[in-house]
Structures are given as structure tokens and as C-alpha cells.
Amino acid sequence: MKNIKLIVLTTMTMLFLGMGNVNAQEEPSKTVIIRVTEGSSSSAVKLGLVTIDAEGNTNAIVLEKGHDLDVSASNGALIQKEIEKWKQEGYEIKHFSTSGETIFRTMIILEK
């Protein structure tokens, strides 16, 4: 009888310890999307960087057209500044993709 009580007590203890994790709720992740459109000066497409924050608010930054060194450096600095802003807030890059031949579209997804 003593062994049965010990087994029941051990089982109950394990159940209560296991249930502790059920009550703890994880905070949902937050996502920021940065979409970059770059291209040549002959393109009719508007070029820029659009950021969509975790609340759905958008911010657009116009980028210069062209592929020369100065334009690439200027646009690259703007893109880097935007990424670093979100990294400082605790976000990490989770996905990066790019596509295009004359117009380049890049998507950067950050999560916290």
C-alpha cells in the first residue's frame, strides 16, 4: 500500500510539473518587411524602399535610379540604415530574396 501511495504521489507531481508549461503563453513574434525596388535610369518604374512594420504601418523612401558606383553606394547606405534601425530594435533577418534582371526587387523579412 505504501508503494501505491508513493507511485500515485510521484505521478501527480509529474503531471503538475508538466502542466506548468501549458499555462505559460509565448509572446507572438513581430514581423517587419522591407521591400526594395532598384533599377536603371531608363526604367519607368518608381524605385524605392518600402518598410511595413509589425502594426501594418508603411514608410517609403525614394531611391536614385541607375547602376553607377555613386548611385549604388547612396542606395546601399539607405538600405543598410533601414536594416540597422530594425536590428537595433531587436529584430533579426529571417528571410532574404531578390529577383529581376533590369529591375531588381529584394524582400527582407525581419522578426522579433
Side-chain angles (χ1 to χ4, degrees), residues 32-45:
V32 170
I33 300 172
I34 300 174
R35 298 185 60 168
V36 182
T37 304
E38 297 177 278
S40 65
S41 57
S42 62
S43 167
V45 174

Side-chain angles (χ1 to χ4, degrees), residues 18-105:
M19 293 298 283
N21 291 335
V22 173
N23 293 332
Q25 294 183 3
E26 285 187 33
E27 185 177 321
S29 66
K30 295 182 179 182
T31 304
V32 170
I33 300 172
I34 300 174
R35 298 185 60 168
V36 182
T37 304
E38 297 177 278
S40 65
S41 57
S42 62
S43 167
V45 174
K46 289 185 179 180
L47 307 179
L49 177 146
V50 176
T51 303
I52 306 162
D53 69 16
E55 287 77 38
N57 302 313
T58 60
N59 181 45
I61 299 171
V62 176
L63 296 177
E64 293 181 54
K65 291 186 177 188
H67 291 294
D68 69 25
L69 201 55
D70 292 334
V71 171
S72 292
S74 176
N75 288 345
L78 289 172
I79 295 165
Q80 179 186 28
K81 184 177 178 181
E82 187 69 15
I83 292 170
E84 287 300 320
K85 176 180 91 173
W86 292 103
K87 286 174 65 178
Q88 290 293 322
E89 292 190 28
Y91 286 83
E92 295 179 5
I93 296 175
K94 295 295 181 179
H95 178 77
F96 178 91
S97 65
T98 187
S99 64
E101 292 180 18
T102 57
I103 301 297
F104 298 98
R105 290 182 171 84

Side-chain angles (χ1 to χ4, degrees), residues 3-27:
N3 286 341
I4 293 176
K5 287 183 180 179
L6 187 57
I7 291 171
V8 169
L9 180 62
T10 304
T11 304
M12 297 280 290
T13 303
M14 290 174 64
L15 285 172
F16 283 119
L17 289 175
M19 293 298 283
N21 291 335
V22 173
N23 293 332
Q25 294 183 3
E26 285 187 33
E27 185 177 321

